[in-house]
Amino acid sequence: MSESPEVRLSGTPASAGVAVGPAIVIDSQAVVVPDLEDPADAFSEASAAVSRQLEAMCETARAAGRAEAGDVLEAQALMAQDPMLADAVAAALGDGAGLGEALQQARQQIEELFAAIDDPYIAARAQDVVEVTERISRWLAGVDVPDLGQIAEPSVLVARALTAADTAALDPACVLGFVTEAGGPTSHVAIIARSLGVAAVVGAAGIVERTRAGDPVAIDGATGDVVIHPTEVTAEAFAARREAFEAAVAAAEQFRGMSVALGEHRVDVPANAGSRDDVERAVEAAADGIGLLRTEFLFLDRSDAPGEDEQFDFYSFAGASFSQPVVIRTFDIGGDKPAPYLGIAAEENPFLGVRGARLYREFPEVFETQVRAILRAAADTQICLMLPMVSTVTEIGDLRGWISEIAAELTARGIRHEMPPIGIMVEVPSVALVADAVAPHVDFFSIGTNDLTQYAMAADRTNTALDEFQDPLHPAVLALCERTVAAAKRHGISVSVCGLAAADPLGAAVFAAMGVDKLSVSPRTVNLVKSAIAATEASTAEEMVRTALAAATADEARSMIANPTRSP
């Protein structure tokens, strides 16, 4: 296909799909904000202009049926004129900083705020801050933002980084896929790519330097494979991959609204959700309820915590949307000033700091308000309450006792409510290791593979330099999962898996083989996961688990799951 030598790179899978086409290369350069006579007025004018730009892009995205892109752009439009940003810039200007430096300081301050929140989708909002302040800087410097909506020929986009606004402007008919050097699989860019059905690979180091405009490029968003100047044989192989993926998506539609099982063991596939729109998408996908309803979005971009009635309305809406259970996770916020009204001291490592359940004792009124809203909503819907970031049996007992006290208070006041099933996120290795001791104190387990992997591998998942340690199918992580599932079965409680691992076809297969009851995934992948479970041979399930656990590396474990009759 090309006379130039073939170059193979490896990145992080971000959006499943295969693309082969000529490259369009975007090599964004930093801009310099000039010194201005009245920097405060200049910032005010620039932030208003950028907000209008983003609002217009939001309307365009929604008119094209791209709801996810519209949601992100709307949030960025609001962020451009958020008082938090304006106040941070004003404070830096007051300390004598120039406007460019003030924007950098404000960006860093707010970026750290969101990055500290231990939910990959919420923490990704840190990238929004970078994108918004970069747009403001470009407006002030008079530098145009690349208009990727003008790409007219089917191409593969190559860039050091893309913004959510860039991605939202892409036309899937012309942008076959994209590959970037920066970014992660839970960034807004990746989320939008998945919603558009565009193949994407992120974290492919050196791709911009090695690629020239027009170079043929092949990418596989499910494996992270990237090939520049593919040979004819390689191009044909990628074309075969594309045909296989498209056939799998079409075939998976037969499982819409259906139940699936591995042998006699039924496995439900609910959806993950973090907003009202997510709940509606889960309904459209005919998901088996909601396996993880993140509530952090209710607590952000505001000057005080959400009230009880506001939360009650949302939880009631989510619960009423399904005949199956909706699992609500109480707010899981990091330790480094996660919200303006939760002013706690910065942690050296927020992922190992005062967050999740550890934060509730410091802000009891916020936790109690949320629990009251959940208990009230549970009176009329199948709602479950899930506690994040717990690490000891004592902690679980204390929290359950606290929730019982809140229920007693509602009873004394004559307020309708119901005590829902109460479970925990198994994301700290200590809980997995003593799962038999924990199980009698909860009604269900939900394994959070994203956090469990980073803790087991001692590799912060926000550090792209450590991506090679982030495979949740590493035998060490699988051993913690298997120990948790076995304890749940012995004690007669259900166990689910949420996170990106549940949507991995190999992950879905091995977790179902372990005996996991639910795999909670993004709405778009519900039917693909059901298809993967249906395709798994029940006769080899036990051997699959045994050989995967006996493997030495993640690659070996994946090979054993794909070929369970082989010896490790």
Side-chain angles (χ1 to χ4, degrees), residues 230-315:
T231 64
E232 184 175 349
V233 171
T234 299
E236 289 175 354
F238 271 79
R241 292 193 199 187
R242 182 173 58 235
E243 290 177 6
F245 175 75
E246 291 173 351
V249 171
E253 282 299 304
Q254 67 181 296
F255 296 100
R256 179 177 295 273
M258 290 181 57
S259 300
V260 293
L262 180 58
E264 298 298 316
H265 177 58
R266 172 172 168 167
V267 182
D268 288 334
V269 186
N272 296 331
S275 68
R276 185 176 290 263
D277 286 345
D278 281 350
V279 172
E280 292 173 348
R281 283 189 281 271
V283 172
E284 292 171 5
D288 300 327
I290 298 290
L292 170 61
L293 182 61
R294 304 178 183 89
T295 61
E296 289 75 35
F297 82 99
L298 291 168
F299 293 78
L300 301 176
D301 293 337
R302 56 196 305 153
S303 59
D304 55 6
E308 183 178 327
D309 287 342
E310 177 186 350
Q311 295 189 60
F312 168 74
D313 288 343
F314 174 65
Y315 304 150

Side-chain angles (χ1 to χ4, degrees), residues 404-493:
S404 295
E405 292 173 4
I406 296 169
E409 174 199 341
L410 290 173
T411 299
R413 293 166 55 192
I415 298 175
R416 287 186 70 246
H417 69 282
E418 188 72 35
M419 179 66 80
I422 298 175
I424 62 165
M425 291 285 292
V426 179
E427 51 194 344
V428 180
S430 62
V431 169
L433 291 170
V434 296
D436 271 308
V438 172
H441 300 274
V442 298
D443 299 310
F444 62 91
F445 286 146
S446 183
I447 302 172
T449 53
N450 295 345
D451 268 344
L452 190 61
T453 301
Q454 76 161 346
Y455 293 141
M457 302 302 293
D460 190 318
R461 58 187 168 86
T462 64
N463 187 338
T464 56
L466 302 177
D467 280 351
E468 64 181 295
F469 298 102
Q470 298 301 327
D471 193 331
L473 300 192
H474 189 284
V477 181
L478 289 178
L480 293 170
C481 294
E482 193 276 336
R483 189 182 185 99
T484 301
V485 174
K489 298 305 176 186
R490 282 192 289 270
H491 292 273
I493 65 173

Side-chain angles (χ1 to χ4, degrees), residues 341-365:
Y341 50 89
L342 299 182
I344 59 177
E347 299 288 333
E348 285 188 29
N349 185 347
F351 280 116
L352 296 173
V354 181
R355 45 163 289 258
R358 300 174 180 181
L359 189 62
Y360 301 158
R361 290 291 177 187
E362 297 198 25
F363 297 92
E365 68 287 349

Side-chain angles (χ1 to χ4, degrees), residues 96-440:
L99 184 50
E101 184 183 356
L103 274 167
Q104 289 181 345
Q105 291 180 14
R107 181 188 73 185
Q108 182 176 358
Q109 177 183 335
I110 302 173
E111 184 183 4
E112 289 175 354
L113 181 157
F114 286 118
I117 299 174
D118 193 51
D119 180 300
Y121 298 94
I122 301 300
R125 292 173 66 97
Q127 183 60 30
D128 286 339
V129 181
V130 175
E131 295 178 16
V132 169
T133 54
E134 177 67 15
R135 277 187 169 267
I136 294 173
S137 295
R138 284 180 173 272
W139 195 94
L140 289 164
V143 177
D144 290 335
V145 177
D147 186 358
L148 303 183
Q150 298 302 311
I151 297 174
E153 298 295 330
S155 309
V156 174
L157 189 60
V158 174
R160 296 196 186 279
L162 289 176
T163 68
D166 290 337
T167 316
L170 302 180
D171 181 353
C174 292
V175 178
L176 305 175
F178 66 78
V179 53
T180 66
E181 295 190 357
T186 58
S187 66
H188 278 320
V189 168
I191 293 169
I192 293 173
R194 290 193 287 268
S195 74
L196 294 176
V198 173
V201 175
V202 297
I207 182 68
V208 171
E209 181 180 349
R210 292 170 176 262
T211 310
R212 296 292 178 267
D215 285 352
V217 175
I219 68 171
D220 187 333
T223 64
D225 294 333
V226 179
V227 182
I228 309 167
H229 298 295
T231 64
E232 184 175 349
V233 171
T234 299
E236 289 175 354
F238 271 79
R241 292 193 199 187
R242 182 173 58 235
E243 290 177 6
F245 175 75
E246 291 173 351
V249 171
E253 282 299 304
Q254 67 181 296
F255 296 100
R256 179 177 295 273
M258 290 181 57
S259 300
V260 293
L262 180 58
E264 298 298 316
H265 177 58
R266 172 172 168 167
V267 182
D268 288 334
V269 186
N272 296 331
S275 68
R276 185 176 290 263
D277 286 345
D278 281 350
V279 172
E280 292 173 348
R281 283 189 281 271
V283 172
E284 292 171 5
D288 300 327
I290 298 290
L292 170 61
L293 182 61
R294 304 178 183 89
T295 61
E296 289 75 35
F297 82 99
L298 291 168
F299 293 78
L300 301 176
D301 293 337
R302 56 196 305 153
S303 59
D304 55 6
E308 183 178 327
D309 287 342
E310 177 186 350
Q311 295 189 60
F312 168 74
D313 288 343
F314 174 65
Y315 304 150
S316 297
F317 158 75
S321 297
F322 294 91
S323 59
Q324 303 99 322
V326 169
V327 180
I328 300 176
R329 185 179 70 185
T330 51
F331 68 94
D332 184 12
I333 293 179
D336 188 9
K337 298 181 180 178
Y341 50 89
L342 299 182
I344 59 177
E347 299 288 333
E348 285 188 29
N349 185 347
F351 280 116
L352 296 173
V354 181
R355 45 163 289 258
R358 300 174 180 181
L359 189 62
Y360 301 158
R361 290 291 177 187
E362 297 198 25
F363 297 92
E365 68 287 349
V366 179
F367 178 66
E368 290 172 358
T369 297
Q370 183 171 39
V371 171
R372 283 195 299 270
I374 293 172
L375 268 56
R376 287 173 55 199
D380 297 307
T381 58
Q382 289 194 67
I383 280 176
C384 303
L385 186 155
M386 183 161 64
L387 300 164
M389 191 61 176
V390 293
S391 52
T392 68
V393 172
T394 301
E395 187 177 30
I396 296 166
D398 290 346
L399 287 168
R400 289 206 66 146
W402 192 0
I403 294 169
S404 295
E405 292 173 4
I406 296 169
E409 174 199 341
L410 290 173
T411 299
R413 293 166 55 192
I415 298 175
R416 287 186 70 246
H417 69 282
E418 188 72 35
M419 179 66 80
I422 298 175
I424 62 165
M425 291 285 292
V426 179
E427 51 194 344
V428 180
S430 62
V431 169
L433 291 170
V434 296
D436 271 308
V438 172

